[in-house]
C-alpha cells in the first residue's frame, strides 16, 4: 500500500502482482483533508516509501503495449481468400435470425391461452316489481285479431318504448339522494301543539331560516304565488302593493305600488314575467316592475290560473266570464259565458289542464277552452263553494263551502270519498306535492295528513296562529314550506314532509342560470300543447277510434257535400250508324235508371216489413193481457 497525494487530498493505491508477472494496481480513493505528515507513524514504518508517481492520480490497470498497426506491405494474408469466409459468416447470421423468429412464433403458438371465466350474473340486474309499479304507464294494449300489419308494428314499437322508459326510470330511482321529511312527537305528545319557533330551533340553520315573517300591515291582506321551480315569491296586497323576491336569498327583485285594488297575482311561464289582476283590467309586468301590457279585453278579473304546458292564462271575472289568453302569441283564445254569476273560486287540474270553477249555488263545473258548455257539473255543497283545490295527480278534489263541511271527491268516479265538519268552515285550501292539506279558518291555519285516503279527517298534523285574517295559502314546490298571506303581511311556515324532495332539472330547476332559463324557454315553446287537446280524459287522445265504417262514411258525406264512394252517373257511349241519336240515348238511360232505384225500393220495403212485425207483436201482447183475469195468476 502506498499513499499518493495530489495537493491536499491523499489517495490510497493498492498494488498487486498478476499471474503473468506483470504488476497490476487497483486504485481506491479516500477524500480526506489531511496532510501526508499527519499520517500515523505505523504506516510510515510499515514499508519504505516508493518513488514519486507522475502527476496523474489514476494509473492504468494493464501496462501491455499496444501492437502497432500493420503496414500494407506487411500483410501476408490474401484478401481474396477472406471473401468466401465473410459470405459464409453472413449466411450463418441470416440462419440464426430466421431460427430466432421461428422460435418466437412457435412460442406464441404453443403458449396456453387463459380462458375467460363466465359471468355468474349475466345481463342487467332485475328491478323489483314494487319499484316498477311506481312508474307504470297503464295497461298493455290488447291487439284485436284483425288488425293491419303497419298498425301492429306501430303499437308494438310504442309498447316497447314505454316499457324501456319505465325500466330505466325504476333503475335510476336509486340515484335520487333526498328523502321526504316528517315530524314526530314524543310519547303522548300531539304534533299540532309544537310551535314554529321550536321547529326552527331544532332544525339546521338553512332550514330554520325558511321560517320568517314580513310585517306589511299597511297594504294587506296579501295574495301570493310561488314560481314553478319554487325559487321566487310574488306578493300582491289588496291596496296596490306588488313585490317579487328570491325568497331563498331574500333578494328583492322589484316593488311597485299600482295605486289600484289588486285582486290576484300569478307568475307566467318564467320568473321574468307576472300578471296582476287589478280593479279594471289585466296587466302584465316584468321582473323589474316595468309594465309590459294592459289587456282591456280582460276586465273585472277576480281569479287567475296559468297552464304552463299550454302557455295559457285562464281568468275568471265578476261578470261570469271564463277567458283564456295565449301568452306566447298575446291573443285571446276563448271567452266563455258560464251564466253562473260571480266567479271567485277557481283551480286547475295539473293532470289534464281542465279548469274547475266553484259557484254560489254549491256546484262545481269543469271547463275546456274549446267547448262552450261545461264538461261536468256536480253538486258539492248545500251552500256556496268557498274554496277548492286538486292534487298533482289530478285524482282527488277537496272542496269547502258555507255549510262548514270539508269534502274529498274522486274525480275519476265523480263521487265523494268522505267529508268532515269544521266548526268555522275553511276559507282557503291548498294541497302539497306530498298530499298534505292546509285549511285556513279565520286567523288559524291547520295542516292535515292522509287526506286522500279512505279514512275521514280526525285531528290536524300541525297548526299555527297568525296575527291577521288569512287571505291566501300556497305550498312552495320542492320545499317543506307553506306560504300564508294575511292582513298583517306574509308568513313562511315550516311543514316537514310537504314538498317533493327530488326535482326534475329539465322541467323545473331552482338553481338554473339565466342561460339555462333561456334554453328551457325556447324548448318549452317548441313543445307547446295546443288548447284543442284539453279534454277530461287525456288517454282518449292516444286511443283508436272504434266508430263503424258507416258512421265515418256519413260524416264524410256531411262534410264534403257528396258521396265520394257513390257511383258516377251513367254516361252512354257514342255509337255509330245512327245508334247515338237522342232517342236511343234516352232509352238506354231509362233502362239503367231502374237499376239504381231498385236498391232504394228494397230498403224501403224492408223497413215497412219490420214496422209491421213490431205492430203485430204489440197487438198480440195487448190481446193476451185483455184475455187474462185476476184469477189467472193462481193457475199452474
Amino acid at each position: 500500500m502506498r499513499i499518493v497525494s495530489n495537493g491536499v487530498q491523499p489517495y490510497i493505491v493498492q498494488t498487486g502482482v498478476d499471474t503473468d508477472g506483470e504488476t497490476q494496481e487497483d486504485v481506491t480513493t479516500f477524500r480526506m483533508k489531511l496532510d501526508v505528515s499527519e499520517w500515523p507513524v505505523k504506516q510510515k514504518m510499515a514499508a519504505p516509501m516508493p518513488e514519486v508517481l507522475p502527476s496523474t492520480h489514476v494509473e492504468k490497470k494493464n501496462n501491455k503495449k499496444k501492437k502497432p498497426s500493420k503496414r500494407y506491405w506487411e500483410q501476408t494474408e490474401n484478401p481474396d481468400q477472406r471473401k468466401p469466409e465473410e459470405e459464409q459468416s453472413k449466411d450463418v447470421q441470416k440462419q440464426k435470425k430466421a431460427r430466432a423468429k421461428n422460435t418466437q412464433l412457435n412460442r406464441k403458438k404453443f403458449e396456453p391461452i387463459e380462458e375467460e371465466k363466465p359471468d355468474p350474473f349475466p345481463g342487467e340486474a332485475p328491478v323489483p316489481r314494487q319499484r316498477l309499479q311506481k312508474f307504470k304507464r297503464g295497461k298493455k294494449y290488447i291487439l284485436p285479431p284483425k288488425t293491419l300489419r303497419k298498425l301492429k308494428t306501430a303499437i308494438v314499437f310504442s309498447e316497447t318504448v314505454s316499457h324501456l322508459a319505465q325500466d330505466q326510470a325504476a333503475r335510476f330511482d336509486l340515484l335520487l339522494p333526498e328523502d321526504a321529511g316528517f315530524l314526530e312527537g314524543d310519547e303522548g305528545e300531539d304534533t299540532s301543539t309544537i310551535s314554529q319557533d321550536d321547529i326552527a330551533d331544532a332544525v339546521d340553520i338553512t332550514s330554520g331560516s325558511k321560517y320568517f315573517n314580513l310585517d306589511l300591515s299597511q297594504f294587506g291582506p296579501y295574495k301570493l304565488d310561488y314560481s314553478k321551480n319554487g325559487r321566487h315569491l310574488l306578493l300582491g296586497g289588496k291596496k296596490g302593493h306588488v313585490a317579487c323576491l328570491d325568497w331563498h336569498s331574500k333578494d328583492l327583485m322589484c316593488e311597485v305600488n299600482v295605486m289600484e285594488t289588486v285582486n290576484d297575482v300569478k307568475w307566467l311561464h318564467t320568473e321574468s314575467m307576472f300578471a296582476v289582476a287589478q280593479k279594471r283590467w289585466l296587466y302584465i309586468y316584468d321582473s323589474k316592475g316595468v309594465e309590459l301590457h294592459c289587456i282591456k279585453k280582460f276586465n273585472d278579473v277576480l281569479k287567475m290560473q296559468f297552464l304552463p304546458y299550454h302557455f295559457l292564462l285562464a281568468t275568471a271575472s265578476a261578470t261570469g266570464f271564463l277567458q283564456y289568453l295565449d301568452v306566447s302569441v298575446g291573443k285571446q283564445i276563448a271567452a266563455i259565458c258560464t251564466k253562473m254569476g260571480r266567479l271567485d273560486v277557481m283551480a286547475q287540474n295539473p293532470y289534464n289542464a281542465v279548469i274547475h270553477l266553484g259557484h254560489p249555488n254549491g256546484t262545481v263545473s269543469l271547463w275546456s277552452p274549446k267547448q262552450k258548455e261545461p264538461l261536468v257539473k256536480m253538486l258539492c255543497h248545500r251552500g256556496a263553494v268557498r274554496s277548492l283545490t286538486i292534487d298533482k295527480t289530478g285524482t282527488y278534489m277537496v272542496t269547502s263551502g258555507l255549510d262548514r263541511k270539508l269534502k274529498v271527491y274522486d274525480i275519476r268516479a265523480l263521487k265523494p270519498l268522505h267529508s268532515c265538519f269544521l266548526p268555522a268552515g275553511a276559507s282557503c285550501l291548498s294541497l302539497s306535492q306530498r298530499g298534505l292539506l292546509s285549511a285556513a279558518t279565520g286567523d288559524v291555519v291547520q295542516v292535515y295528513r292522509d287526506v286522500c285516503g279512505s279514512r275521514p279527517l280526525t285531528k290536524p298534523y300541525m297548526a299555527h296562529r297568525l296575527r291577521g285574517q288569512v287571505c291566501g295559502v300556497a305550498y312552495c314546490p320542492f320545499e317543506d314550506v307553506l306560504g300564508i298571506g294575511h292582513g298583517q303581511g306574509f308568513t313562511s311556515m315550516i311543514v316537514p314532509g310537504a314538498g317533493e324532495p327530488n326535482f326534475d332539472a329539465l322541467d323545473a330547476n331552482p338553481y338554473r342560470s339565466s342561460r339555462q332559463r333561456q334554453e328551457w324557454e325556447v324548448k318549452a315553446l317548441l313543445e307547446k300543447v295546443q288548447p284543442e287537446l284539453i279534454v277530461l280524459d287525456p288517454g282518449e287522445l292516444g286511443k283508436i277510434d272504434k266508430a263503424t265504417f258507416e258512421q265515418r262514411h256519413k260524416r264524410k258525406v256531411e262534410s264534403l257535400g257528396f258521396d265520394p264512394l257513390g257511383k258516377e252517373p251513367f254516361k252512354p257511349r257514342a255509337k255509330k250508324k245512327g245508334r247515338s241519336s237522342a232517342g236511343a240515348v234516352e232509352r238506354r238511360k231509362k233502362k239503367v235508371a231502374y237499376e239504381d232505384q231498385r236498391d232504394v225500393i228494397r230498403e224501403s220495403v224492408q223497413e215497412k216489413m219490420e214496422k209491421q212485425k213490431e205492430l203485430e207483436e204489440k197487438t198480440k201482447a195487448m190481446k193476451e193481457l185483455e184475455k187474462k183475469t185476476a184469477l189467472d195468476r193462481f193457475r199452474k
Side-chain angles (χ1 to χ4, degrees), residues 299-498:
N299 58 332
D300 300 328
V301 176
L302 298 177
K303 288 286 182 179
M304 294 187 295
Q305 288 292 331
F306 184 72
L307 309 178
Y309 301 106
H310 303 76
F311 283 79
L312 293 178
L313 180 67
T315 62
S317 64
T319 57
F321 273 86
L322 174 64
Q323 295 172 285
Y324 289 86
L325 174 69
D326 193 339
V327 176
S328 61
V329 183
K331 291 183 179 179
Q332 179 179 324
I333 298 299
I336 305 168
C337 181
T338 59
K339 302 176 185 178
M340 293 183 184
R342 182 183 175 89
L343 303 176
D344 56 351
V345 179
M346 186 181 189
Q348 68 158 310
N349 190 337
Y351 173 65
N352 52 16
V354 172
I355 296 296
H356 294 231
L357 296 176
H359 305 289
N361 57 0
T363 59
V364 174
S365 57
L366 282 63
W367 298 86
S368 174
K370 290 301 177 181
Q371 293 191 13
K372 299 298 181 182
E373 297 295 327
L375 302 173
V376 176
K377 194 174 179 182
M378 51 194 299
L379 180 63
C380 296
H381 295 274
R382 293 183 179 179
V385 179
R386 296 184 68 186
S387 180
L388 65 91
T389 182
I390 304 158
D391 71 329
K392 70 171 186 176
T393 60
T395 308
Y396 302 102
M397 178 179 69
V398 185
T399 62
S400 65
L402 285 177
D403 56 357
R404 295 183 290 179
K405 283 188 177 181
L406 184 72
K407 293 186 178 182
V408 181
Y409 284 85
D410 189 349
I411 302 175
R412 297 169 296 182
L414 301 174
K415 292 181 180 179
L417 292 176
H418 52 78
S419 65
C420 68
F421 181 80
L422 297 178
S427 60
C428 298
L429 298 175
S430 180
L431 273 169
S432 72
Q433 291 176 327
R434 303 285 295 180
L436 297 182
L437 174 68
S438 64
T441 56
D443 60 346
V444 177
V445 175
Q446 294 177 338
V447 180
Y448 295 91
R449 294 177 70 179
D450 302 329
V451 179
C452 300
S454 58
R455 297 179 182 177
L457 301 179
T458 53
K459 61 178 182 179
Y461 170 58
M462 292 181 68
H464 185 61
R465 186 178 291 276
L466 301 156
R467 293 178 293 172
Q469 190 80 10
V470 177
C471 186
V473 291
Y475 281 97
C476 180
F478 311 109
E479 293 285 349
D480 293 341
V481 169
L482 173 65
I484 307 167
H486 49 85
Q488 298 296 319
F490 171 79
T491 299
S492 179
M493 176 182 170
I494 300 174
V495 182

